Amino acid sequence: PGLIGCTWCRGDREGHWSEDCWILKCCMDDRGLDYCSRCPDFACAKLEEWAKQNDRYAAALERLRRK
């Protein structure tokens, strides 16, 4: 089996942890961006709340802040 993990919002969707990722859909499908951090609404309230769920999500948001 292949590795499943977040490859940010670019690349093959089959390689993402979830093909239904709301972040992926918002970033790529709705806004046509490569990274959430390029959005004029970054970091939106929904993304901030998501990051509060656990340390891995919080770390992911911090990586996005550096993009």
Side-chain angles (χ1 to χ4, degrees):
L3 294 175
I4 303 283
C6 182
T7 56
W8 303 101
C9 291
R10 301 182 306 172
D12 184 2
R13 287 190 183 210
E14 290 182 19
H16 285 78
W17 73 273
S18 170
E19 292 179 41
D20 295 327
C21 175
W22 67 269
I23 299 170
L24 173 69
K25 287 181 178 182
C26 180
C27 184
M28 290 293 293
D29 297 344
D30 297 345
R31 299 173 186 260
L33 302 170
D34 288 335
Y35 301 102
C36 294
S37 58
R38 298 207 173 133
C39 179
D41 298 326
F42 180 80
C44 65
K46 189 172 181 181
L47 194 56
E48 293 280 359
E49 286 303 311
W50 169 81
K52 291 177 185 177
Q53 292 181 47
N54 62 53
D55 291 341
R56 290 180 67 196
Y57 292 174
L61 179 57
E62 287 308 310
R63 285 191 301 273
L64 279 169
R65 290 185 197 281
R66 292 190 297 267
K67 288 246 174 245

